[in-house]
Amino acid sequence: MALETWLLYLVAVTGLAFAPGPNGLLALSHGALYGRKKTLSTILGGVTGFVGVIAISMFGIGSLMMASANVLSLLKWLGGAYLIYLGIQLWRSPAICLEQTSAIDLGHTARFRQGLLAAIANPKVILFFGAFLPQFMTPESSLLTQFLILAATFAVVEFSVEFFVACIAHQLRPWLQKSGQRFNRSCGTVFALLGASLPLSQ
């Protein structure tokens, strides 16, 4: 993978990691309820789930690439359209609202399981990675090498962002309730711009 492609991917996944989603919301909630150390289990569960979904998406895409040289180009354009659609949906979504509740801590295993299920239970996650990852894949390079680079980069970025969110959960909660819709619109714009620009940049 070219350094320029990896740097573009790094910027993209950093922006996407900050976009509102089930795992970010879970890290925020658990950070506020249990503290940052206990939330590590939640975050690790989510990252594990994401790596599994990336593997399913990438090796499925790899099989299609072997079947036809034009499939990757088609996937990039279809994926770009899907990212634009997600951006519009995120633009329209209301601000996140978190209720102040008391919760019983069920332990590290339960928190890990919650993070894992949040990452893999939504079929839209597989669709998203199926749309997003082809923008950074090339049929000439080893699929395994590309998987290791893309999955490891995503895992490190996602872990770092979720842990950051958990650390400042108490400060973020009122800000999201006040300015969450503007934040959603900013993230939605990022999605739409990615969808419009990435297929053209290859």
Side-chain angles (χ1 to χ4, degrees):
M1 176 180 289
L3 178 60
E4 295 81 3
T5 302
W6 179 80
L7 289 174
L8 180 60
Y9 177 75
L10 178 63
V11 172
V13 297
T14 301
L16 296 175
F18 278 103
N23 286 83
L25 182 58
L26 197 59
L28 178 63
S29 300
H30 283 193
L33 293 171
Y34 308 127
R36 62 185 181 183
K37 289 184 179 180
K38 290 185 176 181
T39 306
L40 283 173
S41 301
T42 308
I43 298 170
L44 288 172
V47 169
T48 301
F50 281 130
V51 170
V53 172
I54 289 173
I56 293 171
S57 299
M58 285 194 67
F59 287 102
I61 293 167
S63 298
L64 292 173
M65 285 165 51
M66 292 177 63
S68 171
N70 296 322
V71 167
L72 183 59
S73 177
L74 177 62
L75 286 174
K76 287 182 178 182
W77 284 101
L78 292 176
Y82 182 66
L83 291 177
I84 293 173
Y85 167 77
L86 288 179
I88 294 171
Q89 294 297 106
L90 188 54
W91 176 280
R92 294 177 174 176
S93 62
I96 296 172
C97 181
L98 297 175
E99 298 293 334
Q100 292 280 359
T101 59
S102 58
I104 299 174
D105 184 5
L106 300 178
H108 292 288
T109 302
R111 291 194 301 276
F112 181 90
R113 184 169 59 249
Q114 286 182 316
L116 179 69
L117 291 175
I120 67 175
N122 187 351
K124 291 183 179 180
V125 173
I126 296 179
L127 288 175
F128 171 76
F129 280 117
F132 181 65
L133 294 174
Q135 317 297 332
F136 306 94
M137 295 171 64
T138 57
E140 297 82 13
S141 302
S142 165
L143 184 60
L144 179 59
T145 301
Q146 292 183 85
F147 164 72
L148 292 174
I149 294 172
L150 295 177
T153 302
F154 185 91
V156 171
V157 171
E158 184 70 20
F159 179 90
S160 301
V161 170
E162 288 192 24
F163 185 65
F164 171 74
V165 168
C167 289
I168 61 172
H170 289 287
Q171 290 80 11
L172 276 181
R173 186 189 292 265
W175 180 84
L176 281 175
Q177 292 174 347
K178 180 180 179 181
S179 306
Q181 193 166 31
R182 287 197 299 271
F183 180 65
N184 287 352
R185 289 180 175 179
S186 298
C187 292
T189 301
V190 171
F191 271 73
L193 290 175
L194 284 172
S197 64
L198 286 177
L200 297 174
S201 66
Q202 302 301 316

mmCIF file of all heavy atoms in Angstrom, residues 25-69:
data_model
loop_
_atom_site.group_PDB
_atom_site.id
_atom_site.type_symbol
_atom_site.label_atom_id
_atom_site.label_comp_id
_atom_site.label_asym_id
_atom_site.label_seq_id
_atom_site.Cartn_x
_atom_site.Cartn_y
_atom_site.Cartn_z
ATOM 1 N N LEU A 25 -21.222 5.693 21.323
ATOM 2 C CA LEU A 25 -22.232 6.005 22.328
ATOM 3 C C LEU A 25 -22.086 5.104 23.553
ATOM 4 O O LEU A 25 -22.238 5.548 24.694
ATOM 5 C CB LEU A 25 -23.623 5.838 21.718
ATOM 6 C CG LEU A 25 -24.822 6.171 22.610
ATOM 7 C CD1 LEU A 25 -24.751 7.609 23.118
ATOM 8 C CD2 LEU A 25 -26.120 5.937 21.860
ATOM 9 N N LEU A 26 -21.752 3.820 23.305
ATOM 10 C CA LEU A 26 -21.553 2.884 24.415
ATOM 11 C C LEU A 26 -20.328 3.281 25.238
ATOM 12 O O LEU A 26 -20.361 3.237 26.479
ATOM 13 C CB LEU A 26 -21.385 1.468 23.857
ATOM 14 C CG LEU A 26 -21.574 0.302 24.828
ATOM 15 C CD1 LEU A 26 -22.960 0.317 25.445
ATOM 16 C CD2 LEU A 26 -21.329 -1.016 24.109
ATOM 17 N N ALA A 27 -19.246 3.672 24.568
ATOM 18 C CA ALA A 27 -18.052 4.122 25.285
ATOM 19 C C ALA A 27 -18.359 5.371 26.097
ATOM 20 O O ALA A 27 -17.886 5.523 27.234
ATOM 21 C CB ALA A 27 -16.917 4.391 24.300
ATOM 22 N N LEU A 28 -19.148 6.265 25.529
ATOM 23 C CA LEU A 28 -19.546 7.480 26.240
ATOM 24 C C LEU A 28 -20.381 7.140 27.475
ATOM 25 O O LEU A 28 -20.125 7.648 28.574
ATOM 26 C CB LEU A 28 -20.330 8.393 25.295
ATOM 27 C CG LEU A 28 -20.883 9.698 25.861
ATOM 28 C CD1 LEU A 28 -19.753 10.616 26.310
ATOM 29 C CD2 LEU A 28 -21.758 10.400 24.827
ATOM 30 N N SER A 29 -21.363 6.271 27.299
ATOM 31 C CA SER A 29 -22.242 5.897 28.410
ATOM 32 C C SER A 29 -21.478 5.171 29.507
ATOM 33 O O SER A 29 -21.605 5.495 30.691
ATOM 34 C CB SER A 29 -23.378 5.008 27.898
ATOM 35 O OG SER A 29 -24.147 5.674 26.934
ATOM 36 N N HIS A 30 -20.667 4.178 29.120
ATOM 37 C CA HIS A 30 -19.924 3.407 30.122
ATOM 38 C C HIS A 30 -18.848 4.265 30.786
ATOM 39 O O HIS A 30 -18.547 4.073 31.975
ATOM 40 C CB HIS A 30 -19.304 2.174 29.473
ATOM 41 C CG HIS A 30 -20.292 1.086 29.220
ATOM 42 N ND1 HIS A 30 -19.928 -0.209 28.890
ATOM 43 C CD2 HIS A 30 -21.643 1.085 29.251
ATOM 44 C CE1 HIS A 30 -21.007 -0.945 28.728
ATOM 45 N NE2 HIS A 30 -22.056 -0.183 28.939
ATOM 46 N N GLY A 31 -18.257 5.188 30.030
ATOM 47 C CA GLY A 31 -17.284 6.080 30.642
ATOM 48 C C GLY A 31 -17.910 6.929 31.723
ATOM 49 O O GLY A 31 -17.312 7.163 32.787
ATOM 50 N N ALA A 32 -19.133 7.404 31.470
ATOM 51 C CA ALA A 32 -19.835 8.219 32.457
ATOM 52 C C ALA A 32 -20.297 7.391 33.646
ATOM 53 O O ALA A 32 -20.297 7.857 34.786
ATOM 54 C CB ALA A 32 -21.025 8.907 31.803
ATOM 55 N N LEU A 33 -20.692 6.131 33.388
ATOM 56 C CA LEU A 33 -21.256 5.292 34.446
ATOM 57 C C LEU A 33 -20.199 4.565 35.268
ATOM 58 O O LEU A 33 -20.323 4.442 36.488
ATOM 59 C CB LEU A 33 -22.220 4.269 33.844
ATOM 60 C CG LEU A 33 -23.507 4.811 33.228
ATOM 61 C CD1 LEU A 33 -24.236 3.709 32.478
ATOM 62 C CD2 LEU A 33 -24.406 5.413 34.297
ATOM 63 N N TYR A 34 -19.161 4.045 34.596
ATOM 64 C CA TYR A 34 -18.216 3.154 35.265
ATOM 65 C C TYR A 34 -16.800 3.710 35.374
ATOM 66 O O TYR A 34 -15.984 3.168 36.121
ATOM 67 C CB TYR A 34 -18.138 1.812 34.519
ATOM 68 C CG TYR A 34 -19.472 1.169 34.266
ATOM 69 C CD1 TYR A 34 -19.840 0.781 32.979
ATOM 70 C CD2 TYR A 34 -20.376 0.930 35.295
ATOM 71 C CE1 TYR A 34 -21.067 0.179 32.729
ATOM 72 C CE2 TYR A 34 -21.598 0.334 35.054
ATOM 73 C CZ TYR A 34 -21.941 -0.030 33.771
ATOM 74 O OH TYR A 34 -23.155 -0.623 33.532
ATOM 75 N N GLY A 35 -16.468 4.743 34.610
ATOM 76 C CA GLY A 35 -15.109 5.262 34.605
ATOM 77 C C GLY A 35 -14.301 4.693 33.454
ATOM 78 O O GLY A 35 -14.656 3.689 32.851
ATOM 79 N N ARG A 36 -13.193 5.356 33.153
ATOM 80 C CA ARG A 36 -12.419 5.014 31.953
ATOM 81 C C ARG A 36 -11.764 3.641 32.019
ATOM 82 O O ARG A 36 -11.672 2.940 31.004
ATOM 83 C CB ARG A 36 -11.367 6.083 31.689
ATOM 84 C CG ARG A 36 -10.339 6.236 32.790
ATOM 85 C CD ARG A 36 -9.396 7.389 32.513
ATOM 86 N NE ARG A 36 -8.402 7.520 33.572
ATOM 87 C CZ ARG A 36 -7.490 8.478 33.617
ATOM 88 N NH1 ARG A 36 -7.456 9.381 32.658
ATOM 89 N NH2 ARG A 36 -6.613 8.531 34.610
ATOM 90 N N LYS A 37 -11.283 3.213 33.208
ATOM 91 C CA LYS A 37 -10.590 1.928 33.302
ATOM 92 C C LYS A 37 -11.533 0.770 33.016
ATOM 93 O O LYS A 37 -11.202 -0.154 32.266
ATOM 94 C CB LYS A 37 -9.942 1.774 34.676
ATOM 95 C CG LYS A 37 -8.750 2.688 34.890
ATOM 96 C CD LYS A 37 -8.079 2.435 36.226
ATOM 97 C CE LYS A 37 -6.867 3.336 36.403
ATOM 98 N NZ LYS A 37 -6.183 3.107 37.706
ATOM 99 N N LYS A 38 -12.722 0.802 33.614
ATOM 100 C CA LYS A 38 -13.671 -0.280 33.388
ATOM 101 C C LYS A 38 -14.207 -0.271 31.962
ATOM 102 O O LYS A 38 -14.588 -1.318 31.424
ATOM 103 C CB LYS A 38 -14.829 -0.187 34.385
ATOM 104 C CG LYS A 38 -14.427 -0.528 35.822
ATOM 105 C CD LYS A 38 -15.636 -0.551 36.747
ATOM 106 C CE LYS A 38 -15.229 -0.989 38.148
ATOM 107 N NZ LYS A 38 -16.402 -1.054 39.066
ATOM 108 N N THR A 39 -14.229 0.894 31.336
ATOM 109 C CA THR A 39 -14.732 0.995 29.975
ATOM 110 C C THR A 39 -13.765 0.387 28.963
ATOM 111 O O THR A 39 -14.140 0.129 27.816
ATOM 112 C CB THR A 39 -15.019 2.468 29.622
ATOM 113 O OG1 THR A 39 -15.883 3.023 30.617
ATOM 114 C CG2 THR A 39 -15.700 2.619 28.274
ATOM 115 N N LEU A 40 -12.522 0.116 29.361
ATOM 116 C CA LEU A 40 -11.569 -0.538 28.468
ATOM 117 C C LEU A 40 -12.119 -1.866 27.954
ATOM 118 O O LEU A 40 -11.903 -2.233 26.793
ATOM 119 C CB LEU A 40 -10.235 -0.764 29.190
ATOM 120 C CG LEU A 40 -9.327 0.457 29.346
ATOM 121 C CD1 LEU A 40 -8.134 0.122 30.228
ATOM 122 C CD2 LEU A 40 -8.863 0.960 27.982
ATOM 123 N N SER A 41 -12.837 -2.606 28.805
ATOM 124 C CA SER A 41 -13.420 -3.878 28.373
ATOM 125 C C SER A 41 -14.434 -3.661 27.264
ATOM 126 O O SER A 41 -14.478 -4.411 26.277
ATOM 127 C CB SER A 41 -14.096 -4.578 29.558
ATOM 128 O OG SER A 41 -13.180 -4.824 30.594
ATOM 129 N N THR A 42 -15.256 -2.640 27.414
ATOM 130 C CA THR A 42 -16.254 -2.309 26.390
ATOM 131 C C THR A 42 -15.570 -1.973 25.074
ATOM 132 O O THR A 42 -15.979 -2.441 23.997
ATOM 133 C CB THR A 42 -17.091 -1.103 26.841
ATOM 134 O OG1 THR A 42 -17.606 -1.334 28.153
ATOM 135 C CG2 THR A 42 -18.233 -0.839 25.876
ATOM 136 N N ILE A 43 -14.537 -1.156 25.145
ATOM 137 C CA ILE A 43 -13.835 -0.709 23.940
ATOM 138 C C ILE A 43 -13.139 -1.881 23.249
ATOM 139 O O ILE A 43 -13.197 -2.017 22.018
ATOM 140 C CB ILE A 43 -12.829 0.396 24.292
ATOM 141 C CG1 ILE A 43 -13.565 1.615 24.865
ATOM 142 C CG2 ILE A 43 -11.994 0.788 23.079
ATOM 143 C CD1 ILE A 43 -12.650 2.662 25.465
ATOM 144 N N LEU A 44 -12.490 -2.742 24.014
ATOM 145 C CA LEU A 44 -11.802 -3.899 23.436
ATOM 146 C C LEU A 44 -12.790 -4.831 22.748
ATOM 147 O O LEU A 44 -12.490 -5.403 21.692
ATOM 148 C CB LEU A 44 -11.018 -4.643 24.515
ATOM 149 C CG LEU A 44 -9.754 -3.949 25.038
ATOM 150 C CD1 LEU A 44 -9.183 -4.703 26.234
ATOM 151 C CD2 LEU A 44 -8.707 -3.840 23.922
ATOM 152 N N GLY A 45 -13.969 -4.995 23.338
ATOM 153 C CA GLY A 45 -15.000 -5.812 22.696
ATOM 154 C C GLY A 45 -15.412 -5.231 21.359
ATOM 155 O O GLY A 45 -15.545 -5.960 20.359
ATOM 156 N N GLY A 46 -15.599 -3.920 21.319
ATOM 157 C CA GLY A 46 -15.982 -3.271 20.070
ATOM 158 C C GLY A 46 -14.908 -3.378 19.003
ATOM 159 O O GLY A 46 -15.200 -3.681 17.838
ATOM 160 N N VAL A 47 -13.659 -3.149 19.389
ATOM 161 C CA VAL A 47 -12.558 -3.224 18.432
ATOM 162 C C VAL A 47 -12.426 -4.647 17.879
ATOM 163 O O VAL A 47 -12.206 -4.843 16.674
ATOM 164 C CB VAL A 47 -11.242 -2.763 19.098
ATOM 165 C CG1 VAL A 47 -10.048 -3.086 18.199
ATOM 166 C CG2 VAL A 47 -11.284 -1.273 19.393
ATOM 167 N N THR A 48 -12.581 -5.644 18.741
ATOM 168 C CA THR A 48 -12.536 -7.040 18.290
ATOM 169 C C THR A 48 -13.622 -7.316 17.257
ATOM 170 O O THR A 48 -13.382 -7.952 16.225
ATOM 171 C CB THR A 48 -12.702 -7.990 19.485
ATOM 172 O OG1 THR A 48 -11.655 -7.761 20.437
ATOM 173 C CG2 THR A 48 -12.655 -9.447 19.036
ATOM 174 N N GLY A 49 -14.818 -6.821 17.545
ATOM 175 C CA GLY A 49 -15.917 -7.003 16.605
ATOM 176 C C GLY A 49 -15.653 -6.326 15.274
ATOM 177 O O GLY A 49 -15.912 -6.895 14.201
ATOM 178 N N PHE A 50 -15.113 -5.105 15.317
ATOM 179 C CA PHE A 50 -14.820 -4.376 14.087
ATOM 180 C C PHE A 50 -13.778 -5.095 13.238
ATOM 181 O O PHE A 50 -13.892 -5.148 12.003
ATOM 182 C CB PHE A 50 -14.354 -2.957 14.397
ATOM 183 C CG PHE A 50 -15.461 -2.012 14.735
ATOM 184 C CD1 PHE A 50 -15.386 -1.220 15.871
ATOM 185 C CD2 PHE A 50 -16.582 -1.903 13.926
ATOM 186 C CE1 PHE A 50 -16.416 -0.339 16.197
ATOM 187 C CE2 PHE A 50 -17.604 -1.031 14.234
ATOM 188 C CZ PHE A 50 -17.522 -0.242 15.372
ATOM 189 N N VAL A 51 -12.745 -5.642 13.873
ATOM 190 C CA VAL A 51 -11.712 -6.365 13.117
ATOM 191 C C VAL A 51 -12.326 -7.584 12.430
ATOM 192 O O VAL A 51 -12.006 -7.897 11.273
ATOM 193 C CB VAL A 51 -10.548 -6.776 14.045
ATOM 194 C CG1 VAL A 51 -9.599 -7.735 13.333
ATOM 195 C CG2 VAL A 51 -9.783 -5.539 14.522
ATOM 196 N N GLY A 52 -13.232 -8.273 13.130
ATOM 197 C CA GLY A 52 -13.916 -9.413 12.522
ATOM 198 C C GLY A 52 -14.749 -9.001 11.325
ATOM 199 O O GLY A 52 -14.750 -9.674 10.282
ATOM 200 N N VAL A 53 -15.464 -7.891 11.455
ATOM 201 C CA VAL A 53 -16.296 -7.412 10.348
ATOM 202 C C VAL A 53 -15.428 -6.963 9.169
ATOM 203 O O VAL A 53 -15.763 -7.207 8.006
ATOM 204 C CB VAL A 53 -17.207 -6.260 10.821
ATOM 205 C CG1 VAL A 53 -17.937 -5.633 9.642
ATOM 206 C CG2 VAL A 53 -18.213 -6.761 11.846
ATOM 207 N N ILE A 54 -14.305 -6.319 9.472
ATOM 208 C CA ILE A 54 -13.382 -5.920 8.405
ATOM 209 C C ILE A 54 -12.871 -7.151 7.656
ATOM 210 O O ILE A 54 -12.768 -7.146 6.423
ATOM 211 C CB ILE A 54 -12.210 -5.099 8.989
ATOM 212 C CG1 ILE A 54 -12.705 -3.725 9.440
ATOM 213 C CG2 ILE A 54 -11.100 -4.940 7.955
ATOM 214 C CD1 ILE A 54 -11.660 -2.905 10.177
ATOM 215 N N ALA A 55 -12.556 -8.217 8.397
ATOM 216 C CA ALA A 55 -12.080 -9.448 7.762
ATOM 217 C C ALA A 55 -13.141 -10.019 6.825
ATOM 218 O O ALA A 55 -12.846 -10.392 5.678
ATOM 219 C CB ALA A 55 -11.705 -10.473 8.830
ATOM 220 N N ILE A 56 -14.382 -10.083 7.301
ATOM 221 C CA ILE A 56 -15.468 -10.607 6.467
ATOM 222 C C ILE A 56 -15.632 -9.761 5.212
ATOM 223 O O ILE A 56 -15.762 -10.279 4.094
ATOM 224 C CB ILE A 56 -16.782 -10.641 7.271
ATOM 225 C CG1 ILE A 56 -16.688 -11.676 8.394
ATOM 226 C CG2 ILE A 56 -17.974 -10.961 6.358
ATOM 227 C CD1 ILE A 56 -17.848 -11.629 9.371
ATOM 228 N N SER A 57 -15.622 -8.439 5.392
ATOM 229 C CA SER A 57 -15.818 -7.538 4.257
ATOM 230 C C SER A 57 -14.680 -7.644 3.254
ATOM 231 O O SER A 57 -14.900 -7.791 2.047
ATOM 232 C CB SER A 57 -15.939 -6.093 4.753
ATOM 233 O OG SER A 57 -17.048 -5.943 5.611
ATOM 234 N N MET A 58 -13.434 -7.572 3.752
ATOM 235 C CA MET A 58 -12.294 -7.525 2.842
ATOM 236 C C MET A 58 -12.103 -8.825 2.080
ATOM 237 O O MET A 58 -11.843 -8.820 0.876
ATOM 238 C CB MET A 58 -11.014 -7.175 3.606
ATOM 239 C CG MET A 58 -10.915 -5.718 3.993
ATOM 240 S SD MET A 58 -9.255 -5.243 4.523
ATOM 241 C CE MET A 58 -8.314 -5.418 3.018
ATOM 242 N N PHE A 59 -12.243 -9.966 2.757
ATOM 243 C CA PHE A 59 -12.018 -11.222 2.053
ATOM 244 C C PHE A 59 -13.178 -11.560 1.133
ATOM 245 O O PHE A 59 -12.996 -12.232 0.109
ATOM 246 C CB PHE A 59 -11.723 -12.337 3.052
ATOM 247 C CG PHE A 59 -10.356 -12.212 3.664
ATOM 248 C CD1 PHE A 59 -10.191 -11.711 4.943
ATOM 249 C CD2 PHE A 59 -9.222 -12.555 2.942
ATOM 250 C CE1 PHE A 59 -8.931 -11.556 5.501
ATOM 251 C CE2 PHE A 59 -7.951 -12.413 3.496
ATOM 252 C CZ PHE A 59 -7.804 -11.914 4.776
ATOM 253 N N GLY A 60 -14.361 -11.059 1.454
ATOM 254 C CA GLY A 60 -15.472 -11.171 0.518
ATOM 255 C C GLY A 60 -15.228 -10.333 -0.716
ATOM 256 O O GLY A 60 -15.457 -10.767 -1.851
ATOM 257 N N ILE A 61 -14.738 -9.107 -0.515
ATOM 258 C CA ILE A 61 -14.395 -8.237 -1.639
ATOM 259 C C ILE A 61 -13.257 -8.851 -2.453
ATOM 260 O O ILE A 61 -13.252 -8.802 -3.678
ATOM 261 C CB ILE A 61 -13.991 -6.839 -1.126
ATOM 262 C CG1 ILE A 61 -15.203 -6.136 -0.500
ATOM 263 C CG2 ILE A 61 -13.428 -5.980 -2.259
ATOM 264 C CD1 ILE A 61 -14.844 -4.907 0.312
ATOM 265 N N GLY A 62 -12.298 -9.461 -1.745
ATOM 266 C CA GLY A 62 -11.176 -10.087 -2.439
ATOM 267 C C GLY A 62 -11.623 -11.205 -3.370
ATOM 268 O O GLY A 62 -11.088 -11.355 -4.480
ATOM 269 N N SER A 63 -12.617 -11.972 -2.947
ATOM 270 C CA SER A 63 -13.137 -13.037 -3.804
ATOM 271 C C SER A 63 -13.773 -12.456 -5.064
ATOM 272 O O SER A 63 -13.607 -12.993 -6.166
ATOM 273 C CB SER A 63 -14.173 -13.870 -3.032
ATOM 274 O OG SER A 63 -13.575 -14.481 -1.909
ATOM 275 N N LEU A 64 -14.497 -11.351 -4.907
ATOM 276 C CA LEU A 64 -15.113 -10.699 -6.064
ATOM 277 C C LEU A 64 -14.051 -10.128 -6.997
ATOM 278 O O LEU A 64 -14.184 -10.173 -8.219
ATOM 279 C CB LEU A 64 -16.055 -9.587 -5.596
ATOM 280 C CG LEU A 64 -17.312 -10.031 -4.852
ATOM 281 C CD1 LEU A 64 -18.063 -8.822 -4.313
ATOM 282 C CD2 LEU A 64 -18.218 -10.842 -5.781
ATOM 283 N N MET A 65 -12.979 -9.590 -6.425
ATOM 284 C CA MET A 65 -11.903 -9.031 -7.235
ATOM 285 C C MET A 65 -11.250 -10.110 -8.093
ATOM 286 O O MET A 65 -10.882 -9.874 -9.248
ATOM 287 C CB MET A 65 -10.845 -8.377 -6.338
ATOM 288 C CG MET A 65 -11.267 -7.038 -5.756
ATOM 289 S SD MET A 65 -10.197 -6.504 -4.384
ATOM 290 C CE MET A 65 -8.577 -6.685 -5.093
ATOM 291 N N MET A 66 -11.121 -11.315 -7.543
ATOM 292 C CA MET A 66 -10.523 -12.407 -8.294
ATOM 293 C C MET A 66 -11.434 -12.841 -9.443
ATOM 294 O O MET A 66 -10.967 -13.315 -10.476
ATOM 295 C CB MET A 66 -10.232 -13.592 -7.367
ATOM 296 C CG MET A 66 -9.130 -13.325 -6.351
ATOM 297 S SD MET A 66 -8.891 -14.728 -5.220
ATOM 298 C CE MET A 66 -8.358 -16.001 -6.360
ATOM 299 N N ALA A 67 -12.734 -12.669 -9.262
ATOM 300 C CA ALA A 67 -13.682 -13.079 -10.293
ATOM 301 C C ALA A 67 -13.686 -12.116 -11.475
ATOM 302 O O ALA A 67 -13.899 -12.522 -12.615
ATOM 303 C CB ALA A 67 -15.089 -13.191 -9.704
ATOM 304 N N SER A 68 -13.457 -10.842 -11.216
ATOM 305 C CA SER A 68 -13.486 -9.856 -12.306
ATOM 306 C C SER A 68 -12.613 -8.671 -11.944
ATOM 307 O O SER A 68 -12.669 -8.157 -10.820
ATOM 308 C CB SER A 68 -14.924 -9.385 -12.552
ATOM 309 O OG SER A 68 -14.942 -8.293 -13.444
ATOM 310 N N ALA A 69 -11.818 -8.211 -12.897
ATOM 311 C CA ALA A 69 -10.931 -7.072 -12.663
ATOM 312 C C ALA A 69 -11.705 -5.768 -12.531
ATOM 313 O O ALA A 69 -11.202 -4.790 -11.982
ATOM 314 C CB ALA A 69 -9.921 -6.959 -13.801
#
